[in-house]
Amino acid sequence: MRQAGRYMAEYRALRAKHTMLEICKTPELALEVTLQPLRLGMDAAILFADILLPLEPMGASFEFAKGEGPVIHHPVRTRADVDRLRICDPEDGLGYVLDAIRLIRKELDGKTPLIGFAGAPFTIASYMIEGGKSSSYQTTKKMMWSEPELFHDLMSKVSEVVRRFLRAQVAAGAQAVQLFDSWVGSLAVEDYRTYVQPHVAHILSDAMTLGVPVIHFGTGTSTLLEAQRDAGGTVIGVDWRTPLDQAWARVGYDKAVQGNLDPLLLLAPRDVAVERARAVLRTAGGRPGHIFNLGHGIVPETPVDTVKAVIDAVHAGV
Ligand code: CP3
């Protein structure tokens, strides 16, 4: 999950001088932010970047507007909009991410593994279509059902860009990759299987040949876990709404699982957060193949001390 960010004073200090996109596009700054949370003792580093970075080289410019989140300048809604999008190669427009990976790997020097990532096609397409964040995804769903060919063509373009991007990240040195389908939980399983799963499978069937762990993440996915497993991934992400043991039994013990502390528990009293982290470990039952993680991203109000206490408790075990 996101582990760097506004809950850390050193991140806020850097953000006072640079925009989010400047940090992403300057490998030395991306390196600095990637390393910031590691002092808390995480077992892996996650590349500092964003799932929306491919939009720009595809031809859909955007910005992170203060207080609003991402804003896509010209939302993708018509046949002409979709046809205009480029299927870019990662070297052409995302080379700065690959440079950051190479720099981070050199700096980590084999001590901490580096996770690369990309957004899944539904989650990326929903930003392109809605023009920013959405609570209902109504414009996206409307296109999906009323113009299925147009939606399919958009999803195909995004999927091919993401497939190439993950491949390039591993070639540059990423030692695991994570596909973020953060908003796919808004779909009925029938719609997921029809409109989304083939595109995710296009990406993950390829990523699974690269010889690194492939984490397939979503939220609100308690009804989708089997369909997500079928789409691919060596690790299935589980959010806090589904008990980890039930999720694991459903996806099968031949898969690893990642999760699943509610990130807002980090706002609870420290002993409550620590006890609930231990409860996650107990639910995993000591079975090999559990990656302890939050069920979604860390919020800016999170006290750093609580993060550290939870990490220490996880390392100490149940
Ligand atoms: O350690 C890390 O933080 C890794 C880097 C990372 C970021 N975004 C940096 C970021 C990762 C892995 C992401 C993934 C991402 N980005 C997702 C998937 C994971 C998830 O949380 O669901 C999504 C949906 C996005 C899109 C996105 N980027 C949104 C909706 C926002 C605005 C959110 C907000 O809280 O304002 C961003 C901006 C963003 N990406 C921030 C960070 C640290 C906040 C930037 C800032 O203002 O400093």
Side-chain angles (χ1 to χ4, degrees):
M1 297 315 312
R2 280 193 222 173
Q3 58 186 29
R6 288 166 294 186
Y7 75 106
M8 299 190 83
E10 53 267 55
Y11 177 80
R12 290 194 300 270
L14 198 72
R15 275 283 279 117
K17 292 185 278 182
H18 304 278
T19 67
M20 166 75 192
L21 284 177
E22 270 167 18
I23 300 175
C24 292
K25 290 182 178 182
T26 313
E28 292 74 18
L29 297 178
L31 164 70
E32 188 178 334
V33 181
T34 299
L35 300 184
Q36 281 174 353
L38 298 185
R39 71 169 168 85
L40 303 177
M42 283 91 169
D43 295 314
I46 184 150
L47 166 72
F48 192 79
D50 196 85
I51 63 161
L52 298 178
L53 297 177
L55 265 62
E56 197 173 65
M58 289 187 76
S61 65
F62 75 99
E63 64 192 288
F64 290 109
K66 209 172 162 49
E68 262 185 84
V71 175
I72 286 74
H73 296 140
H74 182 89
V76 176
R77 296 191 179 160
T78 65
R79 168 53 66 189
D81 294 337
V82 172
D83 287 350
R84 244 194 319 268
L85 292 174
R86 284 188 293 274
I87 300 181
C88 55
D89 271 317
E91 293 75 20
D92 139 38
L94 292 165
Y96 59 86
V97 177
L98 307 176
D99 289 341
I101 291 174
R102 287 186 274 264
L103 195 63
I104 297 164
R105 274 301 305 278
K106 205 159 17 147
E107 188 69 26
L108 290 174
D109 194 24
K111 288 192 286 283
T112 307
L114 176 66
I115 306 173
F117 69 92
F122 179 81
T123 294
I124 293 185
S126 77
Y127 281 106
M128 287 177 153
I129 298 167
E130 303 289 337
K133 67 169 189 257
S134 169
S135 50
S136 66
Y137 306 95
Q138 70 178 50
T139 314
T140 307
K141 290 186 181 185
K142 189 173 167 209
M143 184 199 283
M144 186 175 84
W145 291 315
S146 6
E147 296 177 273
E149 248 180 66
L150 184 62
F151 184 76
H152 174 86
D153 290 351
L154 171 58
M155 292 284 281
S156 301
K157 282 190 161 178
V158 173
S159 301
E160 180 54 15
V161 169
V162 169
R163 185 188 72 78
R164 294 180 190 180
F165 193 26
L166 289 181
R167 208 163 235 288
Q169 289 187 33
V170 173
Q175 290 145 298
V177 286
Q178 176 153 206
L179 189 74
F180 284 107
D181 217 348
S182 302
W183 311 137
V184 81
S186 63
L187 293 175
V189 65
E190 174 189 358
D191 290 314
Y192 179 83
R193 288 214 185 257
T194 307
Y195 299 102
V196 175
Q197 193 190 65
H199 299 286
V200 176
H202 174 75
I203 299 164
L204 293 183
S205 59
D206 186 47
M208 285 167 78
T209 66
L210 301 175
V212 300
V214 176
I215 308 165
H216 184 179
F217 168 84
T219 68
T221 49
S222 55
T223 55
L224 299 180
L225 288 168
E226 291 87 353
Q228 286 187 298
R229 172 206 58 207
D230 294 346
T234 51
V235 184
I236 304 297
V238 180
D239 79 17
W240 61 95
R241 299 168 183 91
T242 314
L244 197 70
D245 50 351
Q246 292 176 23
W248 210 344
R250 282 169 53 198
V251 300
Y253 298 120
D254 57 325
K255 297 286 179 192
V257 290
Q258 171 179 282
N260 70 341
L261 190 73
D262 184 337
L264 297 191
L265 268 160
L266 298 174
L267 303 177
R270 204 182 306 170
D271 55 329
V272 174
V274 162
E275 175 43 35
R276 292 292 295 273
R278 290 200 184 106
V280 170
L281 299 184
R282 285 195 296 273
T283 310
R287 200 182 280 280
H290 171 227
I291 301 170
F292 178 88
N293 210 322
L294 302 175
H296 204 177
I298 201 160
V299 301
E301 295 76 14
T302 302
V304 171
D305 288 352
T306 307
V307 179
K308 174 92 178 95
V310 163
I311 291 171
D312 290 347
V314 170
H315 283 151
V318 279

